[in-house]
């Protein structure tokens, strides 16, 4: 949960720009930005454009108390799911009242969906990096309902992002999202509008216009692909920027997949440097359920090697030099493939890798320039990488990211990994 003090915002667009900078790690992952209308939509439009993402609304409505409609006793989402506060019954909201209030608010939600996006069904968040945005949090009840609604649709990663919030509302969001990004949580919070110089109501017409607007930036298009390898069909995501100078094929670690937020964050930075990327699942769903297969380096290397050959058959990629980016066990597979296909592999980057699992024979054969990136606090893995480095040729280097642990979850750590990888690949992937 990140909170950085800020004195306030000029307007919602300014808040969106500041939030977008705090969320820049998600650029290149084609995030789905879901804004809570109406005030969240101007903020969300700026963020979606800055991160090369898509914008839609997440529609939830609070349920008001019987004697005080402004007091939220719960909320209902677009699918009709209801969440009630612990104090709902104390306000006199019995089962019949909740049913009536829910039906009324659900009807309003459906009217809004038709009004805002009459020809567009809601964008499916399944398997996506999803950022839920509002212009601020007071009680946080609407945001909690929105996050619960999105979580039920199985996103790959769920982020809550707001410019300002009451401190207690942030505490109550704990566990609702994978990450909470808030720029300011001042102890003197009274209302969201107190932190904006301009905080006029957002009319429906503006919401409709913002949702219909074309993105102000042009992202490299990501396309879903299928790789038929070893008699199984594996899902992949291929992104090719204009005038791509090389392609980097990712090999994820054990228990992960092509949807890894860390790999996608790195891929997004590579796109900005004119590099195409292929992220694919090394194992099928049934195979991944067998823990032994996650550590079968020979199998993983075979799949990765076949993916390298598959990429050579794609017209947009066949003339491009190939780099490999591996994490954990995927790094071992990448090193094996680099040893097996020296004529194809131009560079390798390992993030928190297990090069020892590649074997000493493979390590000694690698001719491609190889960068081993390890967290400075990942003591055991540092030792394994130093031992591997001693077996490799002079074109291999080891870089430690200070204070980072194995998953590089510390502030700025993954950004450092992405920058190192981009520098390495742009240096060595020369067509």
């Amino acid at each position: 949960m990140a909170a950085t003090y800020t004195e306030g915002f000029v307007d919602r667009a300014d808040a969106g720009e500041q939030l977008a900078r705090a969320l820049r790690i998600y650029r290149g992952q084609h995030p789905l930005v879901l804004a809570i209308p109406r005030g969240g939509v101007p903020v969300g439009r700026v963020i979606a454009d800055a991160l090369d993402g898509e914008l839609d609304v997440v529609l939830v409505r609070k349920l008001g108390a019987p004697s005080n409609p402004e007091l939220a006793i719960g909320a209902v989402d677009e699918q009709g799911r209801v969440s009630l506060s612990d104090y709902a019954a104390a306000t006199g909201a019995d089962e019949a009242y909740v049913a009536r209030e829910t039906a009324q608010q659900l009807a309003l939600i459906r009217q809004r969906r038709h009004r805002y996006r009459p020809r567009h069904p809601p964008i499916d968040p399944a398997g996506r990096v999803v950022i839920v945005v509002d212009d601020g949090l007071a009680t946080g009840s609407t945001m909690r309902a929105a996050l619960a609604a999105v979580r039920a649709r199985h996103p790959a990663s769920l982020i809550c992002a707001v410019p300002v919030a009451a401190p207690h509302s942030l505490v109550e969001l704990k566990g609702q999202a994978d990450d909470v990004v808030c720029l300011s949580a001042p102890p003197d919070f009274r209302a969201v509008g107190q932190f904006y110089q301009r905080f006029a109501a957002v009319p429906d017409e503006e919401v409709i216009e913002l949702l219909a607007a074309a993105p102000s930036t042009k992202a490299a298009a990501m396309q879903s692909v299928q790789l038929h390898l070893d008699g199984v069909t594996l899902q992949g995501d291929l992104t090719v920027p204009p005038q791509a100078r090389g392609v980097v094929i990712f090999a994820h670690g054990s228990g992960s997949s092509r949807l890894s937020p860390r790999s996608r964050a790195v891929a997004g930075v590579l796109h900005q440097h004119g590099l195409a990327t292929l992220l694919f699942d090394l194992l099928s769903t049934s195979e991944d359920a067998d823990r032994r297969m996650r550590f079968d380096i020979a199998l993983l290397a075979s799949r990765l090697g076949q993916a390298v050959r598959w990429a050579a058959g794609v017209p947009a990629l066949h003339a491009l030099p190939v780099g490999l980016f591996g994490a954990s066990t995927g790094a071992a597979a990448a090193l094996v493939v680099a040893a097996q296909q020296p004529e194809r592999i131009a560079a390798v980057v390992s993030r928190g890798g297990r090069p020892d699992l590649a074997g000493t024979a493979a390590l000694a054969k690698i001719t491609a320039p190889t960068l081993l990136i390890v967290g400075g606090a990942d003591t055991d893995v540092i030792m394994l990488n130093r031992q591997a480095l001693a077996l490799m040729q002079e074109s291999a280097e080891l870089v430690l990211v200070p204070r980072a642990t194995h998953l590089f979850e510390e502030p700025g750590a993954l950004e450092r990994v992405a920058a190192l990888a981009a520098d390495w690949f742009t240096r060595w992937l020369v067509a």
Side-chain angles (χ1 to χ4, degrees), residues 19-28 51 272 415:
L19 259 183
R21 287 195 289 272
L23 294 163
R24 61 187 179 276
I25 191 173
Y26 299 107
R27 191 174 191 272
L51 302 183
Q272 296 172 37
E415 290 174 308

Side-chain angles (χ1 to χ4, degrees), residues 45-403:
R45 176 76 272 170
V46 174
I47 293 172
D49 290 350
L51 302 183
D52 294 337
E54 288 183 276
L55 177 67
D56 199 356
V57 287
V58 54
L59 295 173
V60 293
R61 293 280 297 180
K62 72 179 182 182
L63 304 178
S67 59
N68 182 6
E70 293 304 312
L71 174 63
I73 61 169
V76 59
D77 67 25
E78 199 165 355
Q79 284 70 47
R81 285 183 287 264
V82 175
S83 59
L84 291 176
S85 66
D86 296 336
Y87 56 82
T91 68
D94 58 17
E95 188 174 333
Y97 173 82
V98 171
R100 290 195 303 273
E101 178 72 356
T102 297
Q104 180 178 345
Q105 299 304 327
L106 191 55
L108 290 174
I109 285 175
R110 288 168 178 162
Q111 290 174 15
R112 276 194 168 185
R113 172 61 66 181
H114 180 72
R115 185 184 314 132
Y116 292 158
R117 311 213 77 182
R119 291 177 295 279
H120 298 276
I123 299 175
D124 187 1
R128 300 282 299 273
V129 172
V130 179
I131 303 172
V132 181
V133 175
D134 205 352
D135 56 9
L137 297 183
T139 67
S141 60
T142 303
M143 177 60 77
R144 289 195 298 275
L147 292 171
V150 178
R151 178 70 80 188
R153 304 286 299 279
H154 308 293
S157 183
L158 180 60
I159 299 95
C160 166
V162 291
V164 63
H168 68 83
S169 67
L170 287 180
V171 173
E172 293 176 2
L173 286 178
K174 186 177 181 181
Q176 299 291 310
D178 299 313
D179 191 16
V180 178
V181 177
C182 176
L183 301 180
S184 180
D188 63 339
F189 182 99
R190 297 185 301 277
V192 172
Q194 116 192 49
F195 300 95
Y196 287 83
Q197 295 178 29
R198 295 194 292 272
F199 196 67
V202 178
D204 280 343
E205 292 73 19
E206 183 177 351
V207 172
I208 295 167
E209 181 179 343
L210 290 168
L211 290 172
S216 62
T217 59
K218 199 157 183 84
M222 181 182 73
Q223 64 179 111
S224 297
V225 295
Q226 292 186 332
L227 286 72
H228 305 286
L229 312 177
D230 287 339
V232 298
T233 299
L234 303 174
Q235 303 302 317
D237 295 318
L238 175 65
T239 304
V240 185
Q243 289 83 49
R245 57 179 297 170
V247 57
V248 178
I249 302 177
F250 282 66
H252 59 76
S254 62
S256 190
S257 73
R258 75 188 192 284
L259 301 176
S260 161
R262 284 175 288 275
S263 291
R264 288 181 175 260
V266 174
V269 174
L270 298 185
H271 300 156
Q272 296 172 37
H273 286 76
L275 296 168
T277 62
L278 171 64
L279 290 81
F280 77 105
D281 296 331
L282 288 166
L283 299 173
S284 67
T285 302
S286 60
E287 290 173 336
D288 191 56
D290 185 343
R291 180 174 171 80
R292 294 171 299 177
M293 298 188 75
R294 298 180 182 182
F295 292 88
D296 188 338
I297 303 303
L299 173 63
L300 302 180
S302 173
R303 296 279 172 83
L304 182 59
Q306 292 178 68
V308 172
R309 288 187 283 272
W310 176 90
V314 176
L317 306 178
H318 78 275
L320 299 180
V322 178
L324 300 178
F325 182 97
S328 191
T329 50
L335 293 168
V336 171
V337 172
Q340 293 173 342
Q341 301 189 41
E343 74 289 351
R344 293 176 184 260
I345 307 305
V348 180
V349 173
S350 162
R351 173 185 66 78
R354 289 289 309 275
D356 55 303
L357 297 178
T360 58
L363 293 174
K365 290 180 182 177
I366 297 171
T367 57
T370 301
L371 179 64
L372 308 174
I373 305 174
V374 184
D378 197 3
T379 309
D380 292 341
V381 176
I382 291 174
M383 179 184 67
L384 294 172
N385 276 260
R386 282 178 172 157
Q387 292 171 348
L389 184 67
L391 298 169
M392 301 175 72
Q393 300 190 24
E394 291 184 2
S395 56
E397 295 181 17
L398 171 64
V399 174
L400 303 183
V401 177
R403 297 177 295 280

